Amino acid sequence: MKVGIVGKGGVGKTTTSALIARVLADRGKRVVAVDTDSNPNLGMSLGLSFDEIEAIPQLPRALIVGAKGDLTAEDVIDEYGRTTPFGVTLISAIKVNEAGAGCTCGGHASVRSFLGDVLEEQADVTLVDMEAGLEHLSRSGGTLAYADILVVIMEPSRKSIITAARTIALAEELGIPRTVGVGNKARLPDDAEFFEKVCAEYGVPLAGVIPYDTAVVDADRAGGSLDSGSGDAVRRAVEGVVDFLDRTVVTAAS
Ligand SMILES: Nc1ncnc2c1ncn2[C@@H]1O[C@H](COP(=O)(O)OP(=O)(O)OP(=O)(O)O)[C@@H](O)[C@H]1O
Ligand SMILES: [Mg+2]
């Protein structure tokens, strides 16, 4: 399964990517998480220290991945993947290391090519944490063109749900089989109802709603991952989202 995590700025893409990756790893899946943000933060949410994150080698730009390319996807994981505390393998793809060095399209092309190759040995699930906005659906032929499913993270705001609706239209053009929304940071009593109502209005299938939880905020401030034991409601909600994704990808494939 190849999953792209997308959405408007600050809605919780990186946090949710880490939580989904961890649930999958706890279920015995081999998970490769790819950070495609030019300002990468996924490593921290997966439990790495700042120094460990800074030491991760960057995926080269404009890499052609595949049996006839520069490296196979398996080689990419061997050379550029780093294991994180919960067993998820992290690849850092787009970090900007030098000011004024030009656009990151070459990095996006590498990720696109990596997703297009077949991974049999090292991963059951490849999960890509995307930077905010919609440009990734346009640049380099669509970074996530080979994803099986896009998950648009939303917060309880109409703008973030409209972003999901726009994502669905562009993803269909790219040929991505399925796009679903996940409501995050549900805090007010009627937030779940808000997600259901407004998602129905814009035709966004809702895969689940994750509550707002101060444990997430505390983990973020401490610079680490969400501890097990805290954030139980969040964990249950993320388990539900993972079940929904499993069902959806199986249905789309059959
Ligand atoms: N369920 C939640 N409950 C409370 N706070 C949350 C929740 N999910 C995310 N947050 C907080 O929201 C903020 C943004 O989260 P995160 O960095 O995951 O968003 P993002 O969509 O990846 O942002 P960006 O667009 O910059 O990549 C962080 O401070 C995070 O702790
Ligand atoms: Mg992020």
Side-chain angles (χ1 to χ4, degrees):
M1 178 160 68
K2 294 169 184 176
V3 185
I5 308 287
V6 301
K8 196 175 174 305
V11 291
K13 296 177 292 297
T14 300
T15 305
T16 312
S17 294
L19 291 167
I20 289 175
R22 187 165 168 190
V23 164
L24 287 162
D26 288 351
R27 291 184 182 184
K29 303 285 187 201
R30 296 159 306 170
V31 185
V32 172
V34 185
D35 193 339
T36 61
D37 199 324
S38 55
N39 173 31
N41 290 315
L42 182 59
M44 200 164 274
S45 294
L46 286 170
L48 293 182
S49 68
F50 177 73
D51 289 343
E52 288 169 327
I53 293 164
E54 292 301 283
I56 296 177
Q58 290 301 300
L59 195 66
R61 295 188 180 181
L63 199 62
I64 298 171
V65 184
K68 294 183 181 156
D70 306 314
L71 293 173
T72 65
E74 314 271 341
D75 297 334
V76 168
I77 294 173
D78 277 345
E79 282 194 33
Y80 297 98
R82 292 294 178 269
T83 306
T84 62
F86 306 111
V88 174
T89 301
L90 175 66
I91 291 176
S92 181
I94 315 278
K95 186 179 175 197
V96 171
N97 287 316
E98 193 188 339
C103 81
T104 58
C105 287
H108 284 266
S110 297
V111 174
R112 182 180 195 268
S113 189
F114 172 71
L115 287 179
D117 197 22
V118 183
L119 263 175
E120 276 166 6
E121 298 298 323
Q122 286 133 306
D124 301 306
V125 180
T126 307
L127 189 144
V128 184
D129 176 25
M130 193 50 70
E131 66 187 348
L134 297 171
E135 199 191 340
H136 56 82
L137 290 160
S138 159
R139 62 153 64 108
S140 305
T143 316
L144 299 174
Y146 295 112
D148 300 308
I149 187 161
L150 293 194
V151 180
V152 193
I153 310 299
M154 306 169 294
E155 57 192 3
S157 77
R158 187 168 287 264
K159 287 175 186 166
S160 72
I161 298 173
I162 289 174
T163 302
R166 291 183 178 136
T167 302
I168 289 175
L170 293 168
E172 273 173 12
E173 274 187 54
L174 270 183
I176 299 170
R178 203 83 165 89
T179 302
V180 301
V182 167
N184 187 32
K185 304 191 197 183
R187 177 157 34 183
L188 302 175
D190 64 354
D191 276 349
E193 209 177 290
F194 173 82
F195 280 123
E196 276 169 30
K197 183 173 155 289
V198 183
C199 283
E201 196 179 317
Y202 290 98
V204 178
L206 187 60
V209 174
I210 301 171
Y212 183 94
D213 188 335
T214 52
V216 176
V217 178
D218 292 345
D220 198 290
R221 286 190 189 202
S225 60
L226 194 60
D227 293 334
S228 55
S230 58
D232 283 347
V234 167
R235 171 81 189 200
R236 276 196 303 279
V238 176
E239 296 262 3
V241 168
V242 170
D243 291 340
F244 188 101
L245 298 185
D246 274 342
R247 287 196 303 274
T248 306
V249 171
V250 168
T251 312
S254 58

